[in-house]
Amino acid sequence: MSHRQTPSEFLNQIRGRPVMVKLNSGVDYRGVLSCLDGYMNIALEQTEEYVNGQLKNKYGDAFIRGNNVLYISIQKRR
């Protein structure tokens, strides 16, 4: 039987790894998770913005306000 993680443990484990952050608006941000706080405010490095699956912009660093986040998932290494 596998060990179940709490959301907090999962988020601590993926810090420094490539992630995809899906917003309530449907926009995706993909980058390296730099840090996050208890309000789910997220800082990403090497960030790319995707709208309808199409790359729209590239940013060095990006800050995403937590109340806009639908979910965070792990991305394969770039």
Side-chain angles (χ1 to χ4, degrees), residues 1 14 25-26 34 36 54 56 65 67 76:
M1 183 177 282
I14 65 170
S25 66
S34 177
L36 67 141
Q54 299 292 319
K56 291 297 179 183
R65 188 170 170 175
N67 65 336
K76 294 180 181 172

Side-chain angles (χ1 to χ4, degrees), residues 19-23 25-31 46-59 75 78:
V19 296
M20 184 196 53
V21 180
K22 181 80 161 189
L23 302 187
S25 66
V27 176
D28 298 344
Y29 287 91
R30 300 175 191 178
Q46 304 169 29
T47 309
E48 297 175 337
E49 177 184 47
Y50 289 83
V51 178
N52 297 322
Q54 299 292 319
L55 178 63
K56 291 297 179 183
N57 284 304
K58 290 187 178 188
Y59 307 102
Q75 287 289 108
R78 299 195 243 186

Side-chain angles (χ1 to χ4, degrees), residues 1 6 8 12 18 20 23 25 35-36 39 43-44 48-50 52-53 55 62-63 66 68-72:
M1 183 177 282
T6 66
S8 180
N12 284 327
M20 184 196 53
L23 302 187
S25 66
C35 63
L36 67 141
Y39 296 102
L44 294 177
E48 297 175 337
E49 177 184 47
Y50 289 83
N52 297 322
L55 178 63
F63 179 79
N68 295 313
V69 176
L70 184 61
Y71 65 83
I72 302 172

